[in-house]
Amino acid sequence: MHCADTHTHTQQHGAQFSLTDTESVLTESQSLTRTADDGRARCGQQRLQQGGALTGWGLWRLNVHRSLKRLKEDGVDLLSALQLWRTDIHLIEGMFGTGILSYFSFLRFLVLLNFIMFLLMFVFVMLPVILTSHTSHNITYSSTNVSECSVYPASSRQGLVAFHEHITDLLSGTGFLERTYLFYGYYNLEFIHSHFTYNLPLAYLLATVSYLLLSLVWIVKRSASGFKRKLIQDEDRFQSFCNKIFAGWDFCITNENAARLKRSSLLYEMKTDLEEERIKRRMANRTRGERCRIYVLRAGLNLFVMAVLVTCFYCIYVATVFSQRKQVEGAKSAFLQELVVEYLPSIVITLANFITPLIFSLIITFEDYSPAFEIRFTLMRCVFMRLASIGVLLFSLWVQITFCGSSECPCGYNHEIYPCWETHVGQEMYKLVIFDFLIIAAVTVFVEFPRKIIVNHCDHGLVRWWGQQEFAVPQNVLEIVYGQTICWIGTFYCPLLPAINTVKYVLVFYLKKVSLVTNCRPATRPFRASSSHFFFLVVLLIGLALASVPVTVSIAEIQASRACGPFVSYSTSWQVVPRGITQLPPGLRSFLLALASEAFAVSFFVITCLGMFYVIALAGAHKRVIEQLRDQLAMEGRDKRFLIQKLYQAQQASFGRSADSKGLRRNRADTGLCLVEPSVVLETQA
């Protein structure tokens, strides 16, 4: 009996304690609600007071600020409505999602970039030359005192010219196209005298530097957002899983087949992440012998990859030398044979770019990397192959241009074979751009369309295994980055090349769009759209860096042609800058010389290093603050969970104390807060 009384007393005490906790929690929540309401009321009163206090100048500033903000929003809406290919890109996004959309957005960016490059070269280089040919201005032509090096024989065909020879000239940039606005050698003016003196060589050089700097700034600006997103995604693996599960679906998809492919791609990405975690765990548990074995295997395979690359580069070198020698001989041959000789370096480069990715994809399977790293590493090898092949071609051309047999070149280059070597380099870049477009169009028309027809109308097992053409985003991006790198290099030697590249990319957009809608399907191993934007721009930056090297060397080190171009009067193209500075007023000349001095360079380097160290320290401080905020959010989540559990226990105890269901419902109505349905509690207790 005593034990029963004690038990009853304990239950009553527990019920009283639970009711006390409930009342305290309710009181705290009500006080927080009143505090929030008071805060909102005070904010509203302050805004009303501020609005009432604004008179005259302050009210006018507020109205102007609102008008400018509304005007900015209207301008943004207008620009988005006038955006290039807006409807087509929305259609692609709806049918195939954001992964493939990233390729077409990247292509649109390159179209705009090439158009701006063309405007720079047209306004500052071509337009003055065009105006001087239609107006009466005093013109000073570029000239040299070395008569032996200034001979530039005519290259146009004489007599009766066959039609196929015109086609050859059109595709190779020779003949009637050589001395036109298309190439470097046509711009042989030095000064244009009107109301002011226009220095064409200086304008030519500054336009070249400007389009390179503009490309760098624009690419870095666009890559900043992608870099921030990539840092956030790589910060926490658990966050990556959560994003895929709760926010991975692309709600822009409206096509049923695309939705099915998106589902499979999400499943593939989650499997890939799990496989990466399994491989990381297995790599952590490797023994020393296993590590040595895999490192030796990777070293051997990388040596094989280097051997493949060296072989490809040697083939490009041999093809370039053979093509140049045949062109110098000038022997008459059949149309197709002549065309093959002209395009032999481009053909070899294209074959190397087609074969090496297949070899790299086969080799990477034996190197035991994670699936994500396999894709990135294979792509970087392909990038190196594509961009380095251009460097090998330029090196081969330079060897031929500077080779004069056993004797030393009197003009600094072989002026007998290459009287205007810049135009010759421009012709090679022109042929690369034309051939690259012809290959893209030929693959689309003669490979992808027939493959679609065969797959749709043939039920053979081999055809079903072959399947429909996949739209591989990274490989298509490498194609246009390769073409853009050629354009950056060739614009100095072929000023109209950005215009040609703009037209080329417009045609490529429509070719790829038609092929995607009618022939292709998204890749089964998709390249993640979240990281593709940043990866594309990184590859483009690598291409820009590679393109800047030969252009810089050509401007600063290589002897300019004495027979053509605006730099005939200068030993190198860069000499126009110091000579132009000497013609400036004394104050401005002293300022520019001070900027070019070693003292300024050292001071600028030190200030840049200090600024970089400050930014690094600031980034570290922000990272620590972010980690503290994450810990605080996690702690607040645990506190909320604890309070909800205590409130739930308190309500359960209060409901169990009363046996009368009517009194229980009345008590619930009085408290106004319940986390558990009372009827469910009564049934459980019964």
Side-chain angles (χ1 to χ4, degrees):
M1 183 69 182
H2 177 71
C3 293
D5 294 338
T6 305
H7 181 67
T8 304
H9 177 72
T10 304
Q11 287 181 342
Q12 294 174 355
H13 181 72
Q16 292 175 358
F17 178 76
S18 300
L19 287 172
T20 305
D21 290 344
T22 304
E23 292 174 357
S24 63
V25 171
L26 289 173
T27 304
E28 184 178 358
S29 63
Q30 291 173 358
S31 64
L32 289 174
T33 304
R34 285 196 299 270
T35 304
D37 293 338
D38 294 341
R40 285 193 292 269
R42 284 196 298 269
C43 290
Q45 291 176 359
Q46 289 177 0
R47 290 176 181 175
L48 289 174
Q49 291 175 0
Q50 290 176 358
L54 288 176
T55 56
W57 173 252
L59 187 60
W60 181 82
R61 287 182 58 188
L62 181 61
N63 292 331
V64 169
H65 175 72
R66 290 174 179 173
S67 301
L68 291 177
K69 185 178 180 181
R70 192 179 302 110
L71 183 63
K72 180 182 177 182
E73 293 174 354
D74 294 339
V76 170
D77 294 338
L78 180 62
L79 290 177
S80 63
L82 297 176
Q83 203 171 24
L84 184 64
W85 298 321
R86 183 168 177 263
T87 305
D88 296 323
I89 284 182
H90 282 325
L91 175 64
I92 294 169
E93 185 179 18
M95 294 182 64
F96 299 96
T98 56
I100 293 178
L101 170 70
S102 60
Y103 165 77
F104 289 93
S105 299
F106 184 67
L107 187 57
R108 178 173 60 185
F109 162 68
L110 290 183
V111 169
L112 296 176
L113 178 62
N114 281 278
F115 183 70
I116 297 299
M117 290 170 56
F118 162 69
L119 287 181
L120 282 173
M121 298 301 293
F122 178 78
V123 171
F124 295 104
V125 177
M126 291 179 237
L127 187 60
V129 178
I130 294 172
L131 292 177
T132 54
S133 62
H134 295 85
T135 56
S136 57
H137 291 103
N138 294 326
I139 302 171
T140 303
Y141 288 91
S142 301
S143 59
T144 179
N145 296 326
V146 185
S147 58
E148 181 184 2
C149 303
S150 60
V151 178
Y152 189 15
S155 59
S156 59
R157 304 178 189 270
Q158 303 295 327
L160 185 61
V161 181
F163 177 73
H164 70 83
E165 293 179 343
H166 286 298
I167 299 297
T168 303
D169 292 341
L170 182 64
L171 293 177
S172 59
T174 55
F176 69 93
L177 282 180
E178 184 169 337
R179 296 197 180 185
T180 59
Y181 293 103
L182 185 60
F183 292 110
Y184 167 94
Y186 184 79
Y187 303 92
N188 56 353
L189 303 182
E190 186 172 8
F191 296 105
I192 301 173
H193 305 281
S194 181
H195 299 291
F196 60 92
T197 301
Y198 190 80
N199 191 337
L200 184 66
L202 184 61
Y204 198 105
L205 183 62
L206 292 181
T208 302
V209 176
S210 298
Y211 79 72
L212 290 174
L213 290 178
L214 173 68
S215 302
L216 176 63
V217 172
W218 202 348
I219 294 171
V220 170
K221 183 178 182 299
R222 284 179 63 92
S223 62
S225 60
F227 181 68
K228 293 176 184 177
R229 193 179 302 113
K230 189 174 185 300
L231 283 179
I232 293 173
Q233 290 173 351
D234 295 342
E235 185 71 24
D236 189 4
R237 203 66 184 168
F238 178 74
Q239 183 185 9
S240 176
F241 286 117
C242 292
N243 287 336
K244 288 183 180 64
I245 294 172
F246 296 108
W249 186 254
D250 190 353
F251 290 94
C252 296
I253 295 176
T254 57
N255 185 272
E256 182 179 355
N257 187 33
R260 191 181 306 111
L261 290 171
K262 180 64 178 178
R263 177 179 174 276
S264 62
S265 67
L266 283 175
L267 182 62
Y268 167 76
E269 286 191 10
M270 286 188 281
K271 286 181 178 179
T272 302
D273 290 337
L274 294 175
E275 181 68 15
E276 288 179 4
E277 294 297 329
R278 187 185 64 81
I279 290 176
K280 287 179 181 179
R281 188 177 302 172
R282 188 182 67 187
M283 291 171 61
N285 296 330
R286 280 177 183 166
T287 62
R288 184 175 298 177
E290 291 176 344
R291 291 177 183 173
C292 292
R293 181 187 64 81
I294 194 66
Y295 290 153
V296 170
L297 178 62
R298 289 175 181 174
L301 291 175
N302 280 291
L303 288 176
F304 178 73
V305 169
M306 293 178 64
V308 171
L309 292 175
V310 170
T311 304
C312 293
F313 296 156
Y314 179 74
C315 291
I316 294 171
Y317 175 79
V318 172
T320 305
V321 172
F322 178 79
S323 176
Q324 297 300 312
R325 289 178 180 174
K326 287 295 182 180
Q327 291 178 41
V328 169
E329 291 175 2
K332 290 288 184 180
S333 58
F335 169 64
L336 289 179
Q337 183 179 355
E338 184 178 355
L339 206 58
V340 168
V341 170
E342 288 278 355
Y343 277 89
L344 188 59
S346 303
I347 293 172
V348 175
I349 290 174
T350 302
L351 288 176
N353 292 334
F354 176 75
I355 295 172
T356 50
L358 302 177
I359 299 175
F360 296 157
S361 300
L362 179 63
I363 288 174
I364 199 70
T365 58
F366 298 99
E367 293 182 295
D368 197 17
Y369 292 117
S370 64
F373 187 77
E374 282 184 4
I375 296 175
R376 289 195 294 266
F377 197 41
T378 304
L379 289 176
M380 292 310 298
R381 283 173 172 171
C382 296
V383 169
F384 178 77
M385 174 62 211
R386 283 182 175 271
L387 300 184
S389 61
I390 304 174
V392 173
L393 174 65
L394 293 173
F395 174 77
S396 306
L397 288 174
W398 176 239
V399 169
Q400 295 298 307
I401 290 170
T402 57
F403 180 72
C404 297
S406 58
S407 61
E408 185 178 355
C409 297
C411 303
Y413 58 94
N414 193 337
H415 66 283
E416 296 178 356
I417 301 177
Y418 306 102
C420 186
W421 65 266
E422 291 93 345
T423 295
H424 188 75
V425 175
Q427 289 170 348
E428 293 298 326
M429 297 296 105
Y430 172 81
K431 286 188 286 187
L432 283 176
V433 171
I434 298 297
F435 190 74
D436 184 51
F437 172 72
L438 293 178
I439 289 296
I440 293 174
V443 169
T444 303
V445 175
F446 299 111
V447 176
E448 294 178 358
F449 278 106
R451 179 174 177 176
K452 172 73 172 181
I453 296 172
I454 293 172
V455 169
N456 287 344
H457 297 86
C458 184
D459 294 332
H460 194 270
L462 182 61
V463 174
R464 287 199 302 269
W465 173 80
W466 191 26
Q468 194 175 354
Q469 174 74 31
E470 289 187 355
F471 191 87
V473 175
Q475 283 72 21
N476 283 280
V477 167
L478 292 185
E479 287 181 356
I480 58 177
V481 169
Y482 167 76
Q484 185 59 40
T485 305
I486 295 172
C487 181
W488 276 323
I489 297 174
T491 301
F492 180 75
Y493 311 103
C494 180
L496 273 176
L497 200 60
I500 298 172
N501 218 34
T502 302
V503 176
K504 169 192 165 184
Y505 282 154
V506 170
L507 297 177
V508 166
F509 180 90
Y510 288 107
L511 279 173
K512 291 295 182 180
K513 178 199 167 187
V514 173
S515 177
L516 173 66
V517 174
T518 59
N519 303 329
C520 300
R521 61 182 174 87
T524 54
R525 296 181 63 176
F527 197 69
R528 297 173 183 173
S530 56
S531 58
S532 59
H533 178 76
F534 178 69
F535 174 78
F536 297 162
L537 293 172
V538 167
V539 174
L540 197 61
L541 275 177
I542 296 173
L544 178 61
L546 178 65
S548 302
V549 173
V551 174
T552 303
V553 172
S554 175
I555 291 174
E557 297 294 333
I558 301 178
Q559 173 69 51
S561 294
R562 300 294 182 89
C564 66
F567 302 102
V568 169
S569 306
Y570 308 92
S571 58
T572 61
S573 303
W574 181 253
Q575 278 196 348
V576 69
V577 176
R579 187 177 298 184
I581 291 176
T582 58
Q583 298 173 359
L584 294 174
L588 183 58
R589 182 172 65 246
S590 302
F591 175 73
L592 293 177
L593 291 176
L595 290 181
S597 64
E598 295 180 356
F600 178 81
V602 172
S603 304
F604 181 76
F605 178 75
V606 171
I607 293 173
T608 304
C609 290
L610 291 176
M612 183 178 64
F613 292 149
Y614 170 75
V615 171
I616 292 173
L618 190 63
H622 288 168
K623 187 175 181 180
R624 288 191 295 270
V625 171
I626 290 172
E627 291 175 354
Q628 292 175 1
L629 291 175
R630 284 180 177 174
D631 295 339
Q632 184 177 352
L633 286 174
M635 189 178 300
E636 289 182 357
R638 288 193 295 268
D639 292 342
K640 290 179 180 179
R641 193 182 302 115
F642 174 75
L643 289 174
I644 290 173
Q645 289 175 355
K646 294 295 292 182
L647 183 58
Y648 172 71
Q649 293 173 2
Q651 287 185 343
Q652 268 194 332
S654 65
F655 292 146
R657 182 172 174 271
S658 176
D660 188 3
S661 60
K662 294 182 180 180
L664 179 61
R665 290 172 183 159
R666 187 166 54 252
N667 188 18
R668 181 182 64 178
D670 293 337
T671 56
L673 180 65
C674 180
L675 296 180
V676 180
E677 190 67 22
S679 59
V680 178
V681 176
L682 288 175
E683 291 175 0
T684 306
Q685 290 176 349

